[in-house]
């Protein structure tokens, strides 16, 4: 009876495994390529590379899963949840970076200007007594030696574009077996090499240039925060504050599902073992019958939890998306602040400072039981508060520019200003318009060329050049072109026209 009840589920499992077995080669090839090559790039370039590899795999008839994702192939949901608790941001790019950092064959070198990866590594390896060192430390080589002997994780912080040559054997993992023990030669000394030893490197340089001699010895991982990545991180903060029960429910769901799957896997392994060792009459095997019944009960519980999990996940995602405008606004404001350093090197603001201020405004802003009112309060409070706090550290001459960048960035992110419009404003038209004819005598050729560029950039400027050329409109445009303040309100005469 137990076998009959389990037959359907086992049949479906076999079908899934058969598909996974067919896709195994392609999935592993894509995952290996992802781990080996994409880590230095941003999320957009990673997606483009992966898409190109998938097209190549299809052309070569290499099967792979249609929903391929590194997180699904190489990630463990429970471990990823632990990483998030330890400080790894919850956006997809950071999770991919975490997987690459822990599973790459070469030691990781994190490009980490915001120090997010640095803090995560320290938190993750805290229980293992991680040792953080800098190249400026005169005893750094002794600390590395102790780490190799004792199997301790070592974090080399704040490197520049060069590494100490004495670290060469560590980076290349030149480990040899002597007298039955693995050893590594560091300097003039052979050191017993512990398999628990870990070596990680971070730099605060935003765009370092490492020579190929370094790149081939380490796995360079780009931990630089991106607008979309920061938006996802801030969304987690907003939801945790606004609806903490949803995030707790989500975490509990991940742990429970993982535990159920582990129990089911253990039960299935036990069933297969008992069946392989059973006598000719398996009906007399009481342990096998009991185990089959346990498997049945576990599978029923898992199916019920899976249905509940799908409903809960859908509800969580819907509720999370309600707060995305606030996270998007925070992401926009941060990157405006980060770009202020291009105006004056004195304007340096850390992501940690920004995150603390962002979370403080979540607490201090006006409350409302109506979601739309609460979102409006958050948007206004966060925008105004950041402007006031940042302006305190700006020269007077730069405050107006900061205001303009804030407004323009918000409008660009919302789509109110298109990329073409923004490029026209910054650079003018890049189109040649070879052979264009200027029919407007009171407008120079250069200005007429810009009019054509505006027409091309946005539908709202359609037929603008024709309007300038029309005799009836010339009386409207001429005073505006010669006015000292063309944006000032026009006289009633012009307005009526």
């Amino acid at each position: 009876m137990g076998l009959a009840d389990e037959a359907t589920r086992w049949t479906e499992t076999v079908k899934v495994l058969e598909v996974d077995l067919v896709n195994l080669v392609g999935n592993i090839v894509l995952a290996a390529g992802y781990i080996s090559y994409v880590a230095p790039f941003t999320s957009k370039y990673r997606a483009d590379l992966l898409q190109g590899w998938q097209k190549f795999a299809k052309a070569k008839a290499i099967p792979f899963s249609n929903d391929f994702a590194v997180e699904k192939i190489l990630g463990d949901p429970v471990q990823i949840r632990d990483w998030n608790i330890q400080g790894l941001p919850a956006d997809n790019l950071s999770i991919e970076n975490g997987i690459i950092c822990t599973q790459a064959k070469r030691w990781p070198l994190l490009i980490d200007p915001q120090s997010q990866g640095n803090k995560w590594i320290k938190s993750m390896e805290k229980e293992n007594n991680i040792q953080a060192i800098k190249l400026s430390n005169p005893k750094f080589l002794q600390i590395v030696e102790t780490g190799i002997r004792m199997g301790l994780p070592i974090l080399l912080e704040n490197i520049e574009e060069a590494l100490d040559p004495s670290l060469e054997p560590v980076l290349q993992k030149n480990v040899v077996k002597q007298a039955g023990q693995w050893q590594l030669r560091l300097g003039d000394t052979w050191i017993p090499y512990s398999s628990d030893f870990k070596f990680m490197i971070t730099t605060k340089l935003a765009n370092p240039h490492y020579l190929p001699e370094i790149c081939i010895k380490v796995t360079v991982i780009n931990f630089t925060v991106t607008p979309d990545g920061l938006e996802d991180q801030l969304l987690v903060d907003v939801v945790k504050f606004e609806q903490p029960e949803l995030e707790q429910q989500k975490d509990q769901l991940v742990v429970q599902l993982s535990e159920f799957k582990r129990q089911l896997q253990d039960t299935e392994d036990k069933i297969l073992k008992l069946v392989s060792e059973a006598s000719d009459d398996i009906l007399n095997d009481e342990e096998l019958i009991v185990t089959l019944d346990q498997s049945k009960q576990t599978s029923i519980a898992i199916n019920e939890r899976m249905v509940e999990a799908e409903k809960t996940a859908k509800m969580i995602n819907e509720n999370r998306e309600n707060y995305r405008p606030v996270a998007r606004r925070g992401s926009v404001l941060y990157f405006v602040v980060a770009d202020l350093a291009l105006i004056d090197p004195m304007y340096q603001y850390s992501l940690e400072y920004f995150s603390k201020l962002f979370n403080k405004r979540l607490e201090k802003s006006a409350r409302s039981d109506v979601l739309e009112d609460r979102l409006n309060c958050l948007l206004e409070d966060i925008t105004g508060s950041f402007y006031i706090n940042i302006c305190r550290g700006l020269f007077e001459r730069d405050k107006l520019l900061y205001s303009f960048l804030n407004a323009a960035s918000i409008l660009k992110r919302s789509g109110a200003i298109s990329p073409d419009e923004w490029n026209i404003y910054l650079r003018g038209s890049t189109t040649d318009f070879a052979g264009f004819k200027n029919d407007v005598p009171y407008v120079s050729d250069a200005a007429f060329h810009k009019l054509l560029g505006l027409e091309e950039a946005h539908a709202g400027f359609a037929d603008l050049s024709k309007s300038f050329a029309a005799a009836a409109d010339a009386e409207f445009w001429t005073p505006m072109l010669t006015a000292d303040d063309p944006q000032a309100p026009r006289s009633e005469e012009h307005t009526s026209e």
Side-chain angles (χ1 to χ4, degrees):
M1 186 64 181
L3 285 173
D5 291 336
E6 286 289 270
T8 302
R9 187 178 66 80
W10 282 63
T11 303
E12 292 175 355
T13 302
V14 168
K15 290 180 180 179
V16 172
L17 291 175
E18 287 176 347
V19 174
D20 289 343
L21 185 60
V22 172
N23 295 330
L24 180 63
V25 174
N27 287 342
I28 296 303
V29 168
L30 291 174
Y34 210 90
I35 291 287
S36 302
Y37 296 109
V38 309
F41 304 112
T42 60
S43 57
K44 181 181 182 301
Y45 287 107
R46 292 183 185 187
D48 291 343
L49 279 172
L50 181 59
Q51 188 176 9
W53 294 344
Q54 289 174 331
K55 287 182 179 179
F56 178 82
K58 286 182 179 179
K60 297 297 182 180
I62 302 175
F64 61 90
S65 300
N66 294 327
D67 59 345
F68 173 85
V70 175
E71 185 178 341
K72 291 182 179 179
I73 302 300
L74 300 177
D76 179 1
V78 176
Q79 185 183 48
I80 291 172
R81 172 183 168 274
D82 290 340
W83 289 346
N84 297 149
I85 294 173
Q86 291 159 351
L88 182 71
D91 60 288
N92 291 334
L93 180 66
S94 298
I95 291 173
E96 288 179 1
N97 286 339
I99 293 172
I100 295 172
C101 183
T102 54
Q103 298 197 23
K105 184 178 179 181
R106 293 170 292 181
W107 299 126
L109 191 165
L110 277 54
I111 301 173
D112 189 28
Q114 289 86 21
S115 298
Q116 290 184 323
N118 185 291
K119 293 174 184 176
W120 165 62
I121 289 175
K122 287 181 177 178
S123 177
M124 178 177 61
E125 299 293 346
K126 184 178 180 180
E127 295 181 355
N128 298 325
N129 194 22
I130 185 171
Q131 303 294 308
I133 58 173
K134 297 180 175 64
L135 288 176
S136 57
N137 187 335
K139 296 184 179 180
F140 88 92
L141 208 57
Q142 297 177 16
I143 298 174
V144 172
E145 180 180 338
T146 302
I148 295 174
R149 289 179 182 274
M150 306 299 294
L152 302 176
I154 302 294
L155 175 61
L156 179 59
E157 300 178 297
N158 302 344
I159 67 163
E160 298 296 325
E161 293 186 346
L163 289 172
D164 195 296
S166 60
L167 292 174
E168 187 86 5
V170 180
L171 298 179
Q172 292 191 341
K173 298 184 180 180
N174 291 336
V175 182
V176 296
K177 202 166 190 178
Q178 294 184 351
Q181 185 180 34
W182 291 106
Q183 295 188 358
L184 182 142
R185 187 179 180 88
L186 190 63
D188 297 330
T189 308
W190 285 98
I191 306 168
Y193 187 90
S194 172
S195 58
D196 294 328
F197 170 70
K198 297 178 183 178
F199 189 68
M200 293 150 285
I201 311 169
T202 63
T203 178
K204 283 191 173 182
L205 299 177
N207 189 24
H209 176 69
Y210 291 111
L211 296 175
E213 289 79 4
I214 294 178
C215 293
I216 61 174
K217 299 169 188 172
V218 297
T219 300
V220 180
I221 305 176
N222 190 351
F223 254 87
T224 306
V225 68
T226 62
D228 291 336
L230 182 58
E231 182 179 318
D232 290 340
Q233 294 175 31
L234 295 178
L235 181 60
V236 173
D237 291 340
V238 177
V239 175
K240 278 184 177 179
F241 182 81
E242 295 293 320
Q243 295 189 354
E245 67 281 355
L246 285 181
E247 288 298 312
Q248 293 174 3
Q249 191 175 4
K250 181 181 178 183
D251 289 342
Q252 292 172 359
L253 204 59
V254 170
V255 175
Q256 289 174 358
L257 287 176
S258 177
E259 180 61 21
F260 270 119
K261 290 179 180 178
R262 185 192 64 78
Q263 291 177 5
L264 184 60
Q265 182 65 47
D266 291 344
T267 306
E268 289 177 350
D269 291 342
K270 189 175 181 181
I271 289 173
L272 293 174
K273 180 176 181 295
L274 292 173
V275 169
S276 64
E277 296 175 352
S279 59
D280 295 337
D281 188 3
I282 63 174
L283 296 178
N284 292 328
D285 194 329
E286 183 177 350
E287 185 181 2
L288 176 58
I289 295 173
V290 171
T291 305
L292 283 171
D293 186 62
Q294 291 176 351
S295 174
K296 174 185 174 183
Q297 298 301 325
T298 305
S299 63
I300 292 174
I302 286 180
N303 290 331
E304 292 175 352
R305 294 295 295 168
M306 287 298 293
V307 172
E308 182 182 345
E310 291 176 359
K311 293 180 180 179
T312 304
K314 185 177 180 181
M315 180 188 68
I316 290 173
N317 290 332
E318 289 175 353
N319 281 276
R320 282 167 59 88
E321 290 302 313
N322 289 333
Y323 294 97
R324 186 168 289 277
V326 179
R328 184 177 295 118
R329 177 64 57 86
S331 175
V332 169
L333 296 177
Y334 169 76
F335 280 95
V336 172
V337 172
D339 287 343
L340 290 178
L342 302 175
I343 301 173
D344 193 302
M346 289 180 60
Y347 302 150
Q348 300 283 346
Y349 297 90
S350 68
L351 181 58
E352 183 179 5
Y353 164 79
F354 179 89
S355 298
K356 287 181 178 179
L357 184 56
F358 182 85
N359 283 278
K360 184 178 180 181
R361 297 324 306 170
L362 294 178
E363 299 175 5
K364 299 291 185 181
S365 57
R367 308 290 299 181
S368 176
D369 294 333
V370 181
L371 177 61
E372 187 174 352
D373 293 342
R374 173 61 175 162
L375 293 177
N376 290 332
C377 289
L378 285 171
L379 291 172
E380 292 178 7
D381 185 278
I382 289 171
T383 306
S385 178
F386 271 102
Y387 179 79
I388 293 171
N389 279 275
I390 299 302
C391 277
R392 290 172 181 167
L394 302 182
F395 293 118
E396 193 66 32
R397 67 173 184 267
D398 295 327
K399 291 180 180 179
L400 182 60
L401 177 59
Y402 174 53
S403 303
F404 170 74
L405 291 174
N406 262 346
S409 298
I410 291 171
L411 292 173
K412 283 193 295 177
R413 194 63 178 268
S414 67
I417 296 179
S418 68
D420 289 336
E421 289 178 288
W422 187 245
N423 286 331
I424 282 286
Y425 173 75
L426 291 181
R427 306 175 182 86
S429 176
T430 57
T431 306
D432 188 10
F433 295 118
F436 74 90
K437 183 179 180 182
N438 182 3
D439 297 329
V440 187
Y442 57 90
V443 174
S444 66
D445 287 351
F448 192 78
H449 187 275
K450 293 179 181 178
L451 293 178
L452 296 177
L454 283 174
E455 289 182 348
E456 182 185 51
H458 197 278
F461 296 108
D463 298 327
L464 182 61
S465 59
K466 294 180 181 179
S467 175
F468 271 79
D473 291 337
E475 297 180 1
F476 172 83
W477 291 114
T478 303
M480 186 176 291
L481 292 173
T482 57
D484 294 333
D485 189 3
Q487 296 186 12
R490 298 190 297 275
S491 63
E492 294 183 359
E493 178 182 356
H494 290 299
T495 303
S496 62
E497 290 178 359

